[in-house]
Amino acid sequence: MTALRMPEPDAGVFARRAEIVRRLGEIVPGEGVIADPRGLAPYESDGVTVYAQAPLVVVLPETVEQVSAVLAYCHQEGIKVVPRGAGTSLSGGALPLADGVLMSMMKFNRVLEIDFPNRCAVVQPGVTNLGITRAVEHEGFYYAPDPSSQIACSIGGNVAENSGGVHCLKYGLTTNNVLGVEMVLMDGTVLRIGGKHLDSPGYDLMGLIVGSEGLLGVVTEVTVRILRAPETARAVLVGFESSEAGGQTVADIIAAGIIPGGMEMMDRPAIHAAEDFVHAGYPRDAEALLIVELDGPAAEVSHLIERVAEIARGNGCVHLRVSNSDAERLVFWAGRKAAFPAVGRISPDYLCMDGTIPRKELPHVLARMREMGEHYGLRCANVFHAGDGNLHPLILFDANIPGELDKAEAFGADILRLCVEVGGCLTGEHGVGVEKRDLMPAMFDETDLAHQIRVKCAFDPKQLLNPGKVFPQLHRCAELGRLHVQRGALPHPDIPRF
Amino acid sequence: MAETYAPRDADETRTFLAWALAEEKPVEVIGHGSKRPIGRPVQAELTLDLSGLSGLSLYEPEELVLSAQAGTPVAEIEAAVAARGQELAFEPMDYGPVLGLPAGRGTIGGLLATNLAGPRRLSKGAARDHVLGIKAVSGRGEAFKAGGRVVKNVTGYDLARGLSGSWGTLAALTEVTFKVLPRAEASETIVLSGLDDHRAVAALAAAMGSSTEVSGAAHLPADAAVATGAATGGTVGRDGRAATLVRLEGVPVSIAHRADMLMGLLAPFGRIERIAGAPSEALWRAVRDVAAFTPDRAPGTVLWRVSVAPSAGPVVAAAVARAVPDSRAFYDWQGGLVWLCLPATPRGTDAAPSGTAADAGAATIRAAVAAAGGGHATLIRADAATRAAVPVFEPQPAPLAALGARLKAQFDPKGILNPGRMA
């Protein structure tokens, strides 16, 4: 396991473990508490398995009252709590703490209400992303944000991570598709924010909660917007001799006023890995492969797909196919969607990075990544959400070779710093979690971070909920609260006044 | 008279607020003051005028990103992006006309601070859904930034969104970054006439629930249709009947196809007309800016903005009309946004559940909203005495209010920024 500094475990809490387990068992009776080592093992890590840590105890509440009572008890006793949905986090956001209670929300798995006239669904947080679509598709509706893990990931986790997917350039991220939440604060307070109406009175707490990585509260109910599925979708598969030509095509499509339903790019190593895996008919001689999907009314899609093809030809593409059936469209996507397992076949291990850049910086960033790869002696394959500049460099390594994991991690950190340097950010969709926590100062200075932590202090002053994630160092709220102000003798004469 | 300071940049803004904090002097934060009459009147010794922080600092059309100093006029930004075939897709409304102030005077910082939106709110979101990053000075006199300038970013808490709709009570924005989107090539409006409110909202729900990608869904009862028609050269309301509006935008070939689909879908609801091009655009601007209830068209009235589930819109308006017979309403957002225009001293209110005349209808409206499934009502236009006496923004349940107060205390511990504004 990689070196990672977590908050110092509380010896007092360890000493009280038996008492804590007993008390939790009273709040959540039956099989709602897991305390034996074999039972805890499945919870040791989330999607980032390089980080593993058994929790103190796992609790699986079934009702809001139980969630509230567990949190209130832990708050009173000073016990840390890590909330967890399906555990598909790719940044270690659900990594347990040795002295913390792991609260699994997977028993909250019911669709509570579907309201087609108001185009929303009310669901519990453990419902999977795809489960929402499954619940409404009989009327032709769907839930738009579609992370690649949508078959497994829970909507509660989507709220925590502000998840997106291929569709998010056109249809927005979770934050744009959530209308309301019920959540429980660390002290056990139950809150309802939003609902079937738009916007909330008071501060935009929903804006803060979505993407807060489980540090502000435990979500117990979510109201999401559902959309009528587009009439049709078609895709274009385009190969280029250079990433520059691919990048220019993306820029030209946007400049032409076209916002595709999805726009994805892969580099040569990723193309080869995917083609070997699924035989989608990808051109092996291309340096960059672009998949552009247009969705909407059939007449519009046909019209726009021609324009996209023209733009691609204008940029000298060497390969171009337009899907003429849904089956063909899905074949185009098959390779891209299987890119991660495909790369898994060509390397014993890989690290999946997640940074966003201004799209125009793509050629520069790819060139710099090649240089870094040479420096570290590691290969890298790239899949890229081209529409929104979200890069996923897959750094290939072999964990059995001493030192390779460290090199891969250093390579990944360099890539993310580069993303920030060119005007981008550390994470486009996976979250900061523990994985990118110590890189936060590359993007935010101390005052920026202090203002973020102040949000945490408003929600969870004792910092008991998922501590050690997102922020590189734990300030106590009291330390942040000090005001250093020099008494101004004079109203500033240099500022214009009237 | 409050003393006004007009910094020229973010650093002067920080210096000024650090000084105001040290002196514990309350500050009213304004851009051009275009939304100043909304909310509780602020009692402040000092005014921070951010209109000097003006100008685009970054505009990259192919990246769909724009950054501007907070005091930049929205009109200037809209013109700059229109020149490149783009727009702020959330179609921000202009509060000027409905407040009896000139149009086109808002700033981009004010737009985010008040989370503006227009008819496209129901399909494309509000300002909060398009903001990517901010720079600001908190009530601690500290400059900070949040978010970034790429369209996809989940790095840290989304403070840019957290500050949207905070009415300058947590921090003074100094720069904002927004996502921009291509402007549609064409638009067209399908108009159904003569529907009652419930039937109209059912028609709008049918349109929104179809795959025709409707970008605007409004209903103007007869008097609102007549007033809106008068403001737009008679596009609607000529026959004195209600007008139910459904907007399509996109490439012309697509609009033609979708309009045909909608005509079929909406045929059972009644007579249909189609309005295209400039008259259609003017009509939606009039809906956006509440032309039906501007002070010259609705003299001596107070104006409320109510957000509820779309199907609850007509229920709320009907309940208010029963208590306050002279009240008028029109609906945007498929019925979910109800603009309620009430007499300032309503007649025939004896049956109202509380002193309607004294509270501008607040108790009646808020009871109707609660009974219809929840939402919120904001008093947009009333004289200062009324706004000082009535909770302008929806009162919140105690736990939410307490959390809001803790957030305020974290960002503005001495309460120097726009004190009382959101109360």
Side-chain angles (χ1 to χ4, degrees):
Chain A
M1 181 181 151
T2 188
L4 186 74
R5 196 172 50 81
M6 293 304 284
E8 195 61 37
D10 184 333
V13 170
F14 283 128
R16 285 184 288 146
R17 183 172 186 270
E19 162 66 15
I20 292 166
V21 169
R22 186 188 65 76
R23 183 72 190 99
L24 291 176
E26 287 169 9
I27 299 171
V28 187
E31 296 179 349
V33 175
I34 299 170
D36 64 294
R38 277 180 60 188
L40 295 180
Y43 295 93
E44 280 182 354
S45 71
D46 57 21
V48 188
T49 50
V50 293
Y51 306 123
Q53 169 63 58
L56 186 75
V57 53
V58 174
V59 61
L60 295 108
E62 285 181 74
T63 66
V64 180
E65 292 71 27
Q66 289 174 353
V67 173
S68 171
V70 169
L71 290 176
Y73 165 69
C74 291
H75 184 254
Q76 188 191 322
E77 299 292 322
I79 303 162
K80 299 171 188 124
V81 178
V82 176
R84 174 181 164 123
T88 57
S89 160
L90 292 175
S91 56
L95 177 70
L97 299 172
D99 60 342
V101 172
L102 187 79
M103 181 182 276
S104 167
M105 296 303 289
M106 291 316 282
K107 288 192 173 174
F108 281 73
N109 56 9
R110 286 182 301 133
V111 174
L112 300 175
E113 186 192 352
I114 298 167
D115 182 346
F116 288 112
N118 288 313
R119 292 174 298 116
C120 62
V122 184
V123 302
Q124 291 187 319
V127 174
T128 62
N129 175 289
L130 198 59
I132 301 176
T133 292
R134 292 282 178 262
V136 299
E137 64 189 358
H138 63 282
E139 290 281 339
F141 281 76
Y142 77 121
Y143 175 61
D146 58 340
S148 303
S149 57
Q150 67 175 165
I151 192 166
C153 65
S154 68
I155 187 68
N158 287 181
V159 170
E161 301 295 329
N162 192 14
S163 308
V166 165
H167 284 120
C168 72
L169 180 67
K170 184 169 177 181
Y171 297 101
L173 297 154
T174 303
T175 192
N176 310 111
N177 289 278
V178 170
L179 296 170
V181 296
E182 178 191 69
M183 69 182 302
V184 186
L185 298 182
M186 187 64 215
D187 67 3
T189 306
V190 181
L191 299 175
R192 294 196 76 88
I193 301 166
K196 293 181 180 179
H197 55 277
L198 292 171
D199 303 322
S200 298
Y203 295 128
D204 194 338
L205 301 173
M206 189 102 73
L208 294 171
I209 290 156
V210 179
S212 63
E213 306 197 22
L215 271 70
L216 299 184
V218 177
V219 170
T220 48
E221 184 190 296
V222 189
T223 303
V224 296
R225 176 207 300 273
I226 51 171
L227 297 176
R228 183 67 181 251
E231 194 182 299
T232 185
R234 289 175 74 191
V236 200
L237 185 72
V238 203
F240 296 94
E241 282 179 331
S242 71
S243 61
E244 284 84 353
Q248 191 56 48
T249 301
V250 172
D252 291 349
I253 289 169
I254 302 271
I258 301 167
I259 301 295
M263 186 150 57
E264 296 286 311
M265 206 156 116
M266 297 160 75
D267 71 358
R268 192 184 187 99
I271 297 167
H272 279 233
E275 181 60 17
D276 291 343
F277 190 40
V278 300
H279 312 291
Y282 291 172
R284 289 175 180 279
D285 55 343
E287 281 298 324
L289 183 76
L290 188 63
I291 306 172
V292 184
E293 180 165 299
L294 283 307
D295 62 5
E300 175 179 324
V301 169
S302 298
H303 172 79
L304 292 181
I305 219 150
E306 263 318 301
R307 284 174 69 180
V308 167
E310 267 169 47
I311 290 167
R313 287 189 203 102
N315 282 303
C317 66
V318 292
H319 179 95
L320 190 147
R321 280 164 64 199
V322 176
S323 74
N324 284 309
S325 68
D326 229 32
E328 197 174 3
R329 179 179 69 87
L330 294 174
V331 169
F332 288 4
W333 281 111
R336 167 61 189 89
K337 297 216 163 173
F340 287 18
V343 168
R345 289 171 76 233
I346 62 169
S347 174
D349 300 282
Y350 67 84
L351 277 186
C352 172
M353 304 314 292
D354 163 45
T356 302
I357 56 169
R359 280 182 303 254
K360 66 174 180 199
E361 299 289 347
L362 180 65
H364 167 68
V365 168
L366 289 176
R368 285 284 296 120
M369 273 164 44
R370 272 193 295 274
E371 290 167 21
M372 291 175 189
E374 284 163 22
H375 170 76
Y376 286 106
L378 293 174
R379 290 179 300 155
C380 182
N382 266 290
V383 294
F384 182 49
H385 300 306
D388 41 42
N390 190 189
L391 285 168
H392 288 315
L394 307 176
I395 299 170
L396 316 186
F397 71 101
D398 184 346
N400 288 324
I401 301 174
E404 277 230 329
L405 171 59
D406 292 341
K407 277 202 289 185
E409 287 191 322
F411 185 4
D414 283 354
I415 291 173
L416 295 181
R417 284 191 203 96
L418 174 65
C419 290
V420 174
E421 249 169 58
V422 300
C425 62
L426 291 173
T427 168
E429 60 183 0
H430 293 174
V432 177
V434 288
E435 185 201 34
K436 278 156 277 190
R437 183 191 68 182
D438 294 337
L439 287 170
M440 286 288 269
M443 189 162 162
F444 298 113
D445 70 22
E446 205 167 317
T447 314
D448 302 336
L449 287 172
H451 278 85
Q452 293 195 31
I453 295 168
R454 284 188 177 112
V455 174
K456 169 77 169 164
C457 294
F459 279 78
D460 174 22
K462 291 191 186 175
Q463 308 223 33
L464 291 171
L465 200 55
N466 214 7
K469 317 289 171 68
V470 182
F471 299 110
Q473 61 213 12
L474 284 170
H475 288 281
R476 286 185 305 161
C477 292
E479 288 165 7
L480 277 175
R482 285 190 206 127
L483 269 177
H484 294 278
V485 192
Q486 290 180 320
R487 204 154 177 82
L490 282 171
H492 288 268
D494 49 326
I495 299 174
R497 51 195 285 205
F498 44 86
Chain B
M1 185 71 188
E3 195 162 10
T4 298
Y5 286 75
R8 286 158 298 206
D9 57 28
D11 200 48
E12 284 189 353
T13 307
R14 185 192 54 73
T15 306
F16 168 76
L17 283 175
W19 168 72
L21 174 69
E23 297 291 319
E24 297 189 24
K25 286 178 187 287
V27 177
E28 181 179 14
V29 187
I30 63 166
H32 289 165
S34 68
K35 292 174 278 293
R36 215 171 181 181
I38 307 177
R40 281 282 179 90
V42 173
Q43 302 291 324
E45 285 180 52
L46 304 170
T47 301
L48 172 59
D49 172 350
L50 292 171
S51 61
L53 276 65
S54 188
L56 266 59
S57 29
L58 173 135
Y59 177 33
E60 294 177 342
E62 61 287 351
E63 303 285 343
L64 304 174
V65 169
L66 173 142
S67 300
Q69 301 296 300
T72 313
V74 176
E76 189 180 317
I77 285 166
E78 288 185 324
V81 298
R84 300 296 300 265
Q86 297 186 331
E87 65 184 353
L88 296 170
F90 52 99
E91 200 179 10
M93 80 168 287
D94 183 346
Y95 269 114
V98 86
L99 295 172
L101 297 170
R105 278 169 41 93
T107 62
I108 190 76
L111 173 153
L112 181 63
T114 58
N115 189 32
L116 290 190
R120 246 184 251 127
R121 174 67 182 90
L122 81 174
S123 58
K124 293 281 193 277
R128 73 178 295 281
D129 294 289
H130 295 256
V131 66
L132 300 175
I134 53 106
K135 289 181 183 170
V137 181
S138 69
R140 293 175 172 272
E142 295 172 337
F144 67 100
K145 65 176 182 299
R149 62 176 180 89
V150 284
V151 298
K152 201 172 182 202
N153 177 4
V154 297
T155 318
Y157 294 148
D158 199 343
L159 266 180
R161 224 174 292 279
L163 289 179
S164 80
S166 64
W167 292 80
T169 60
L170 297 177
L173 296 164
T174 55
E175 187 184 291
V176 294
T177 300
F178 274 98
K179 177 163 90 168
V180 292
L181 282 169
R183 191 180 161 82
E185 283 179 30
S187 78
E188 183 169 323
T189 303
I190 287 172
V191 185
L192 286 158
S193 49
L195 301 185
D196 69 44
D197 295 2
H198 285 89
R199 186 95 177 118
V201 167
L204 295 176
M208 287 302 303
S210 75
S211 63
T212 56
E213 296 182 16
V214 169
S215 78
H219 173 64
L220 308 171
D223 52 356
V226 170
T228 304
T232 57
T235 42
V236 292
R238 285 187 306 275
D239 52 3
R241 284 151 61 92
T244 308
L245 316 175
V246 177
R247 180 174 62 182
L248 296 172
E249 295 177 291
V251 291
V253 60
S254 166
I255 290 182
H257 168 83
R258 285 144 67 205
D260 287 345
M261 276 179 70
L262 271 180
M263 300 275 281
L265 186 70
L266 298 177
F269 288 93
R271 191 162 64 85
I272 296 177
E273 267 185 285
R274 287 163 70 164
I275 301 173
S280 166
E281 286 170 23
L283 182 55
W284 285 98
R285 267 196 304 279
V287 170
R288 184 191 76 178
D289 296 340
V290 199
F293 299 151
T294 52
D296 53 324
R297 287 181 206 287
T301 56
V302 296
L303 183 68
W304 286 86
R305 180 182 187 273
V306 179
S307 178
V308 289
S311 58
V315 180
V316 169
V320 173
R322 278 193 297 276
V324 187
D326 288 343
S327 71
R328 293 192 285 152
F330 87 80
Y331 308 85
D332 199 353
W333 304 355
Q334 189 193 318
L337 176 65
V338 189
W339 289 100
L340 280 169
C341 187
L342 271 60
T345 351
R347 285 168 285 134
T349 55
D350 294 348
S354 74
T356 310
D359 74 354
T364 303
I365 292 170
R366 289 190 168 129
V369 168
H376 51 101
T378 309
L379 178 57
I380 296 296
R381 186 179 70 223
D383 59 38
T386 305
R387 286 184 287 116
V390 172
V392 170
F393 297 93
E394 184 76 28
Q396 295 186 279
L400 269 178
L403 180 55
R406 291 202 297 275
L407 202 56
K408 168 82 172 168
Q410 286 290 335
F411 277 74
D412 180 22
K414 300 282 184 189
I416 61 166
L417 290 174
N418 280 351
R421 181 102 193 222
M422 281 184 88

